[in-house]
Amino acid sequence: LVLGGHTDEHGPEEYNMDLSERRMKAVQAELEKRGFKVDGNFYGESRLKSDKHRENRRVEIRNCW
């Protein structure tokens, strides 16, 4: 599995990068506890999904099998 941590555009860019990393690592830790092999990336506000803030605050999971 590959995770991607994201944030919205509110706040300083440096804070958003840190937040997206922490968000991704929280999901990564939980999945690894359950036995999944997980890689991850964090994107901050660089890949906004929509103009709705809630949709931009996310961790996406991709299956790379």
Side-chain angles (χ1 to χ4, degrees):
L1 299 173
V2 176
L3 304 177
H6 302 269
T7 62
D8 61 23
E9 71 279 9
H10 293 284
E13 186 174 348
E14 183 177 310
Y15 174 80
N16 285 338
M17 286 299 291
D18 180 63
L19 177 60
S20 65
E21 179 179 11
R22 288 184 285 128
R23 184 173 282 156
M24 183 276 300
K25 286 184 175 183
V27 174
Q28 182 179 33
E30 185 61 34
L31 288 171
E32 287 177 346
K33 278 196 277 186
R34 296 171 186 233
F36 291 93
K37 182 178 181 332
V38 181
D39 291 317
N41 301 299
F42 44 96
Y43 302 102
E45 61 192 65
S46 66
R47 295 185 178 185
L48 299 177
K49 185 175 184 177
S50 78
D51 60 352
K52 296 179 182 171
H53 304 295
R54 182 168 282 173
E55 291 180 17
N56 292 316
R57 300 171 184 166
R58 68 195 189 280
V59 173
E60 294 181 334
I61 301 173
R62 288 188 301 136
N63 180 348
C64 293
W65 290 314

